[in-house]
């Protein structure tokens, strides 16, 4: 990029009267803005590259000019280095075909790769650029492609990478000087992370099965974070303070709440949470590059296939078999009728085998952060049978009780009718495409 021309940066952006724009016009406008963001990011990199030739404090000056923290200058420096290391990617960056987040993704992958793999990974990035541009790969999609390629180049199915991640385990704590809150930040290898997440989920299920405290935030996302924090306290902090100091005990959220007030558990000590559960989906229909089944660990987790074998040696195994979008070999009762409103463990495992995310098309909230929703509401005579259940995230569960109407076809094809009459639909569920 030789010339910074502000007019050319916004060339091609359609003029819209936003309050009158139709859906197709809005999508064209958003696409144009995406290209503008990419070209703006590339312009910043070009200016930072030239600034580095004039001063040794380029990162500081870049951050100050952008009115951002110093980390922004470091991020831009990384973009400069990556665009120079992979010229094809740099050209796509200058053209606005990829943006700064794509460059950041490549930068992180190259820095994380072993020295002997880095050059081969950079070459592979050059081959991927065309797919990124033509297929519209998101930075998250690109990160998965790069992780798989790095694993292939290293040639040990990611075992060495897992060892490096375990050595990189860190935990720090501090008191925030502005809020006065005690804060914790940690990094753990993904295998350990699965165990931690499993224990947190088990604790939340035990503590808040009958409701949540009145003092819990109204916002659904904030409320989940709040409850997860209380579960963390219950798992780590031991015997809590006397409940007489409770600033907001009392139940809400559909339960009595007498046992889930501000203090995470009573003075008798932490409750028994039961054994944590980790659900792993092994897909034999889409083998990986080595011909082995694809493994879905429940999120953006990349682990050696041998970890499945490790789990099988120590875990209590419950197998759910899915064929053609239908559960054909359940590990328990999937039809409970009107005997209970809450889904049992077998139903939750079956739904996890069918869905990797919230069932709403395009929603990326992982299954572990969803709850089973009755298609025909329980209070309207609906049954707790698998055919009447889908996983919904907190936001879409709220929508379901505010005018969104869900219907399931014979093969679990989902149709959603909005209050406006507009409909959304998706085919039978399958992993990675819910």
């Amino acid at each position: 990029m030789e010339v910074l021309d502000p007019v050319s940066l916004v060339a091609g952006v359609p003029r819209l009267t936003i309050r009158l724009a139709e859906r197709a016009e809005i999508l064209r406008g958003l696409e144009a803005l995406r290209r503008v963001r990419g070209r703006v990011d590339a312009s910043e990199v070009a200016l930072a590259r030239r600034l580095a030739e004039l001063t040794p404090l380029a990162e500081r000056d870049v951050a100050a000019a952008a009115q951002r923290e110093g980390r922004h200058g470091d991020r831009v420096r990384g973009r400069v280095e990556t665009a120079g290391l992979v010229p094809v990617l740099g050209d796509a960056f200058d053209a606005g075909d990829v943006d700064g987040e794509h460059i950041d993704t490549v930068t992180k992958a190259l820095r994380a790769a072993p020295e002997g793999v880095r050059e081969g990974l950079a070459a592979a990035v050059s081959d991927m650029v065309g797919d990124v541009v033509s297929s519209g790969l998101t930075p998250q999609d690109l990160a998965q492609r790069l992780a798989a390629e790095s694993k292939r180049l290293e040639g040990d199915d990611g075992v060495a990478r897992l060892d490096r991640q375990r050595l990189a385990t860190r935990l720090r704590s501090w008191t925030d000087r502005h809020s006065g809150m005690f804060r914790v930040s940690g990094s753990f290898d993904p295998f350990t992370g699965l165990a931690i997440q499993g224990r947190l989920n088990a604790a939340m299920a035990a503590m808040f099965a009958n409701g949540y405290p009145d003092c819990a935030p109204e916002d659904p996302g904030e409320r989940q974070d709040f409850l997860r924090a209380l579960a963390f306290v219950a798992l780590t902090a031991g015997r809590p303070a006397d409940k007489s100091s409770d600033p907001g005990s009392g139940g809400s959220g559909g339960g009595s709440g007498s046992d889930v007030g501000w203090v995470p558990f009573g003075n008798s000590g932490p409750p028994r949470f039961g054994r944590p559960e980790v659900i792993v989906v092994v897909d034999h229909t889409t083998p990986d590059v080595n011909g082995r089944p694809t493994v879905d660990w429940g999120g953006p987790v990349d682990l050696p296939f041998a970890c499945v074998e490790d789990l099988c040696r120590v875990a209590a195994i419950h197998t759910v078999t899915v064929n053609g979008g239908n559960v054909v070999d359940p590990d328990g009762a999937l039809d409970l009728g009107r005997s209970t409103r809450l889904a049992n463990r077998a139903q939750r495992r079956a739904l996890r085998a069918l869905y990797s995310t919230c069932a709403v098309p395009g929603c990326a909230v992982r299954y572990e952060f969803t709850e089973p929703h009755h298609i025909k509401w329980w209070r309207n005579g609906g049954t707790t049978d698998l055919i009447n259940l889908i996983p919904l995230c907190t936001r879409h569960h709220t929508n379901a009780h505010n005018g969104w109407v869900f219907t399931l076809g014979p093969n679990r094809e989902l149709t959603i009718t909005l209050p406006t009459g507009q409909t959304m639909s998706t085919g039978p569920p399958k992993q990675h495409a819910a």
Side-chain angles (χ1 to χ4, degrees), residues 4-181:
L4 176 60
D5 179 6
V7 174
S8 70
L9 289 178
V10 297
V13 178
R15 293 183 62 86
L16 292 176
T17 303
I18 295 177
R19 65 184 179 86
L20 300 177
E22 299 295 333
R23 182 174 183 272
E25 295 175 297
I26 293 171
L27 293 178
R28 286 195 294 271
L30 291 172
E31 167 65 17
L33 290 176
R34 180 191 66 79
R35 297 183 66 84
V36 169
R37 278 195 297 272
R39 299 195 68 192
V40 168
D41 289 343
S43 298
E44 185 178 44
V45 164
L47 291 171
R49 183 184 296 114
R50 172 57 180 158
L51 186 61
E53 297 172 357
L54 304 176
T55 174
L57 301 175
E59 293 93 335
R60 184 199 65 181
D61 292 343
V62 167
Q67 296 184 351
R68 306 285 289 278
E69 294 182 352
R71 288 176 295 180
H72 179 71
D74 295 334
R75 184 183 304 114
V76 174
R77 177 174 57 82
R79 293 175 179 178
V80 170
E81 294 172 352
T82 300
L85 184 62
V86 189
V88 176
L89 183 63
D91 292 341
F93 193 27
D94 288 342
D97 293 328
V98 301
D99 61 24
E101 286 191 48
H102 289 93
I103 304 294
D104 294 342
T105 298
V106 175
T107 301
K108 291 176 182 177
L110 292 175
R111 288 177 176 175
E115 187 173 350
V117 169
R118 206 165 295 144
E119 184 177 347
L121 188 59
V125 171
S126 297
D127 296 333
M128 292 181 191
V129 171
D131 288 342
V132 174
V133 175
S134 63
S135 303
L137 290 182
T138 66
Q140 292 76 19
D141 295 332
L142 180 59
Q144 291 181 350
R145 291 272 299 269
L146 291 171
E149 181 62 19
S150 182
K151 182 190 294 186
R152 187 190 69 80
L153 291 170
E154 202 160 358
D156 65 351
D157 194 36
V159 173
R161 182 186 184 206
L162 182 58
D163 289 340
R164 292 194 299 272
Q165 290 171 326
R166 284 171 171 161
L167 292 175
T169 295
R170 299 289 187 274
L171 183 71
R172 69 187 186 97
S173 60
W174 71 100
T175 300
D176 188 287
R177 62 182 178 179
H178 300 295
S179 66
M181 298 288 284

Side-chain angles (χ1 to χ4, degrees), residues 222-301:
E222 290 289 322
R223 183 166 62 237
Q224 286 299 304
D225 290 344
F226 175 77
L227 300 181
R228 192 174 295 109
L230 293 188
F232 177 78
V233 172
L235 288 168
T236 60
R239 192 180 182 93
D242 187 270
K243 200 164 185 175
S244 61
S245 62
D246 174 0
S249 62
S252 184
S256 66
S258 61
D259 58 342
V260 290
W262 174 250
V263 176
F265 39 81
N267 288 335
S268 60
R272 295 182 180 274
F273 296 133
R275 189 170 184 171
E277 181 171 88
V278 175
I279 302 177
V280 178
V281 177
V282 181
D283 187 350
H284 291 268
T285 65
T286 54
D288 64 15
V289 294
N290 297 311
R292 292 174 304 205
T294 301
V295 179
D296 176 5
W297 294 92
V301 176

Side-chain angles (χ1 to χ4, degrees), residues 259-410:
D259 58 342
V260 290
W262 174 250
V263 176
F265 39 81
N267 288 335
S268 60
R272 295 182 180 274
F273 296 133
R275 189 170 184 171
E277 181 171 88
V278 175
I279 302 177
V280 178
V281 177
V282 181
D283 187 350
H284 291 268
T285 65
T286 54
D288 64 15
V289 294
N290 297 311
R292 292 174 304 205
T294 301
V295 179
D296 176 5
W297 294 92
V301 176
D302 184 26
L303 283 168
F305 191 81
C307 288
V308 177
E309 299 171 353
D310 293 340
L311 272 181
C312 290
R313 282 194 293 269
V314 300
I317 305 297
H318 300 270
T319 302
V320 179
T321 303
V322 175
N323 185 19
N326 295 302
V327 176
V328 296
D329 185 18
D331 71 333
L334 299 185
D335 296 325
L336 304 179
R338 295 285 298 175
S339 63
T340 177
R341 182 179 64 85
L342 299 177
N344 64 13
R345 285 179 175 265
Q347 290 172 322
R348 291 172 183 269
R349 294 182 191 119
L351 287 172
R352 174 64 182 90
L354 292 166
Y355 298 90
S356 59
T357 65
C358 171
V360 173
C363 183
V365 174
R366 301 200 306 272
Y367 176 86
E368 64 186 277
F369 300 121
T370 67
E371 283 295 327
H373 168 70
H374 290 75
I375 293 290
K376 182 178 180 181
W377 294 3
W378 173 261
R379 70 183 184 211
N380 293 339
T383 58
T384 306
D385 297 337
L386 187 64
I387 192 59
N388 195 42
L389 298 174
I390 56 172
L392 293 182
C393 67
T394 303
R395 180 167 67 93
H396 287 125
H397 211 144
T398 301
N399 290 340
H401 290 272
N402 287 296
W404 287 31
V405 178
F406 293 75
T407 56
L408 275 179

